[in-house]
Amino acid sequence: MLRTIGQVISTHVRTVTATTGTHCPVSGEWAPVGAHDTVCRFLEGSMMPAFRNRAAEWELIGGLQRRDVHS
């Protein structure tokens, strides 16, 4: 099942992060930590990429709504 930001995952407010080489934990718009001018969309389960040819920590900026995900 594809999780989108409209679904409750947790009642705790926290920053969601993922590192290069791991699977994306939730569909959304992600930016490398320290480079929020670069925003990419990743779907849950996809592999998080490198940024500028280096491993990076990615931070969830905003989740995708169901209408943003096209089959």
Side-chain angles (χ1 to χ4, degrees):
M1 181 175 99
L2 179 67
R3 276 188 298 201
T4 59
I5 206 65
Q7 295 173 288
V8 176
I9 297 171
S10 173
T11 57
H12 300 283
V13 177
R14 63 183 174 96
T15 302
V16 178
T17 61
T19 56
T20 298
T22 63
H23 293 280
C24 181
V26 64
S27 299
E29 294 181 338
W30 293 77
V33 172
H36 285 221
D37 57 332
T38 303
V39 177
C40 300
R41 284 186 174 185
F42 300 115
L43 294 177
E44 178 184 356
S46 61
M47 193 67 67
M48 300 303 286
F51 178 67
R52 296 184 179 156
N53 294 325
R54 294 182 183 226
E57 183 175 5
W58 293 84
E59 183 175 11
L60 182 65
I61 301 300
L64 296 181
Q65 299 296 322
R66 196 47 85 172
R67 69 179 180 272
D68 297 328
V69 181
H70 301 286
S71 300

